[in-house]
Amino acid sequence: MKKYIALALLLCMALSSCGVEGAEAEGASAASPEDTRTSVTLAVFGNGYQTLTNAAARFNLSAYASDFRIDVVDYCDGGISMDQAVLRLNSELGAGGGPDMIAFADGRSKSMEIPGIAHLSYMSRGWLEDMSNYLAEDDGLSSENLVNFDALNEFGGVYILGDGFRINTAMVLRERFENRTSWTIQEYLDIEESLETWQSMCYYMNDYYFLENVSGRYSRHAINWEDGSCNFDNSEFTAILEAAGRVKDDNTEDFETVDSFTSAWQRIGTGQLIVSASYISNPSSIKEDEMLSGSKLTYIG
């Protein structure tokens, strides 16, 4: 039953806003002595969890909280370092205790996992509960309430919830790429070779970022995980390394001067720039990219 609370908390996160302050926010971490509801603990790690704290406070005041309340527990409280906080959490979980819910993302960076408490590692140890059954049995909540349910429903169940998503990708002009979602390194090289002198291949990338993303995908078929063998000594991987060397680390001096500013979106829209690193966190991100470029875009890679 306590695991079901996480689903209700997710809905409260969607409704929560920065306007929840004062006594309401305090109710997420400090219950009054006469509060006899069952405590459901949520572990956080330092500053930056206002959205979660506000959502917990909103839950504690909602109809869902007649029997349960959420108590936010800061494992870094008292100046404890992150390493000490992670050690405490893992020790508690290993001994069969610990919190009921965990904020896996760093509160300050929002999308970054905290080293030492990756949810996949916890799943493999059996420390996380599959919430699929709770969701299926509930009359008020269903998978339709979670817009990113398909992405969350992996590895045989739903072990982690979130109120958003982030897709690291690259935006391109739809007129050139149509509705394609992927391309090969050879296609990239062919386009790069065909560029006019007034065109640039990619932006918001450096050679390290390019190599990390492209070679990471290449590794999926270059490494045989069954026998531990690999194949990087070939012309295709050599072409990836050479292409990375041609990626300009920064060309703002050409297009973003004080006298003549042209954004990456504008250059994509005019065809001057072929591809630009981007990320999508909600449907409005797509519309915003198209509005700034003045053209229909698509995302590739």
Side-chain angles (χ1 to χ4, degrees):
M1 179 64 180
K2 294 174 76 173
K3 308 304 179 192
Y4 152 81
I5 303 300
L7 301 172
L9 176 62
L10 180 67
L11 295 184
C12 291
M13 286 175 64
L15 298 173
S16 183
S17 67
C18 295
V20 183
E21 298 176 348
E24 184 176 348
E26 292 174 2
S29 57
S32 60
E34 62 272 13
D35 192 337
T36 59
R37 293 176 295 177
T38 299
S39 172
V40 178
T41 52
L42 167 62
V44 299
F45 302 87
N47 298 322
Y49 294 95
Q50 289 86 355
T51 299
L52 270 178
T53 302
N54 292 342
R58 193 177 279 270
F59 172 86
N60 289 341
L61 296 175
S62 72
Y64 291 110
S66 58
D67 299 316
F68 297 87
R69 72 172 188 272
I70 295 174
D71 291 325
V72 178
V73 180
D74 184 0
Y75 272 60
C76 290
D77 191 28
I80 295 176
S81 70
M82 185 66 74
D83 288 342
Q84 291 174 313
V86 170
L87 177 61
R88 171 192 166 188
L89 175 66
N90 288 335
S91 299
E92 291 177 354
L93 292 172
D100 297 294
M101 297 183 291
I102 301 168
F104 284 98
D106 188 310
R108 289 158 294 186
S109 59
K110 306 299 182 184
S111 61
M112 297 294 292
E113 284 190 343
I114 300 170
I117 62 167
H119 68 280
L120 291 178
S121 175
Y122 281 21
M123 285 167 52
S124 68
R125 291 175 168 83
W127 290 352
L128 296 184
E129 178 85 359
D130 178 9
M131 292 178 282
S132 301
N133 293 333
Y134 299 98
L135 188 62
E137 295 171 0
D138 189 80
D139 295 330
L141 293 172
S142 72
S143 59
E144 296 179 356
N145 297 120
L146 308 177
V147 295
N148 52 353
F149 177 80
D150 290 342
L152 296 169
N153 187 27
E154 292 187 324
F155 309 104
V158 177
Y159 296 90
I160 186 169
L161 296 176
D163 63 340
F165 61 91
R166 174 170 175 158
I167 301 173
N168 291 314
T169 182
M171 58 181 176
V172 294
L173 194 63
R174 181 176 296 181
E175 180 181 338
R176 174 188 283 269
F177 289 87
E178 298 181 341
N179 291 322
R180 297 186 56 187
T181 58
S182 63
W183 52 345
T184 66
I185 183 62
Q186 188 58 53
E187 289 170 327
Y188 173 94
L189 295 174
D190 289 344
I191 294 175
E192 184 184 46
E193 180 68 24
S194 68
L195 294 183
E196 303 288 342
T197 56
W198 57 276
Q199 292 179 304
S200 301
M201 189 63 196
C202 53
Y203 188 57
Y204 289 135
M205 299 185 196
N206 55 37
D207 49 357
Y208 302 104
Y209 182 86
F210 178 90
L211 188 59
E212 178 184 0
N213 282 270
V214 178
S215 64
R217 288 160 175 78
Y218 174 81
S219 298
R220 296 175 183 175
H221 63 82
I223 299 175
N224 186 323
W225 298 104
E226 297 295 328
D227 60 20
S229 63
C230 60
N231 178 23
F232 292 96
D233 187 13
N234 56 72
S235 58
E236 184 177 14
F237 189 68
T238 299
I240 292 175
L241 296 176
E242 292 174 345
R246 291 190 296 270
V247 174
K248 296 188 69 173
D249 191 18
D250 192 321
N251 59 357
T252 55
E253 69 279 5
D254 297 330
F255 300 101
E256 298 182 0
T257 65
V258 175
D259 298 326
S260 178
F261 176 85
T262 306
S263 70
W265 289 271
Q266 291 172 305
R267 289 156 53 205
I268 286 277
T270 61
Q272 188 278 327
L273 178 64
I274 304 302
V275 57
S276 180
S278 180
Y279 73 88
I280 305 170
S281 58
N282 53 63
S284 65
S285 299
I286 301 173
K287 297 305 296 182
E288 181 179 1
D289 284 343
E290 292 189 341
M291 178 189 70
L292 293 173
S293 69
S295 303
K296 289 289 185 180
L297 302 178
T298 190
Y299 298 86
I300 198 165

